[in-house]
Amino acid sequence: LVFIHIKNNGGRYSLAEIAGWTIIQLTTIGAKSGQERTLPLLAGVDGETIALIASSFGREHNPGWYYNLKKNPECR
């Protein structure tokens, strides 16, 4: 979590708050290990719908959490 100091109001804000991003904690079951894995992700939220983008910044393979959800779709 990154904090910056805003002199005008003396408050502290995370970069996510300033940019208007929603950060969630996703807990999945590892596709290979079977162990719980929790990580923070940027999410798009619309009511009860949460959208996650598994782009891995344009890399050839999707991020690990994508494969975890593919094998074990239940998550928190």
Side-chain angles (χ1 to χ4, degrees), residues 43-73:
V45 179
D46 183 19
E48 294 183 13
T49 302
I50 298 173
L52 302 172
I53 299 172
S55 71
S56 198
F57 296 97
R59 294 186 181 112
E60 187 175 333
H61 299 285
N62 294 320
W65 60 264
Y66 168 83
Y67 298 105
N68 292 348
L69 283 177
K70 199 167 177 181
K71 183 166 183 182
N72 303 299

Side-chain angles (χ1 to χ4, degrees), residues 14-45:
S14 72
L15 182 58
E17 288 174 304
I18 293 168
W21 299 333
T22 300
I23 298 177
I24 65 163
Q25 289 221 351
L26 177 69
T27 301
T28 62
I29 303 297
K32 294 180 183 178
S33 70
Q35 296 180 355
E36 278 195 355
R37 304 285 184 207
T38 302
L39 68 153
L41 293 172
L42 292 177
V45 179

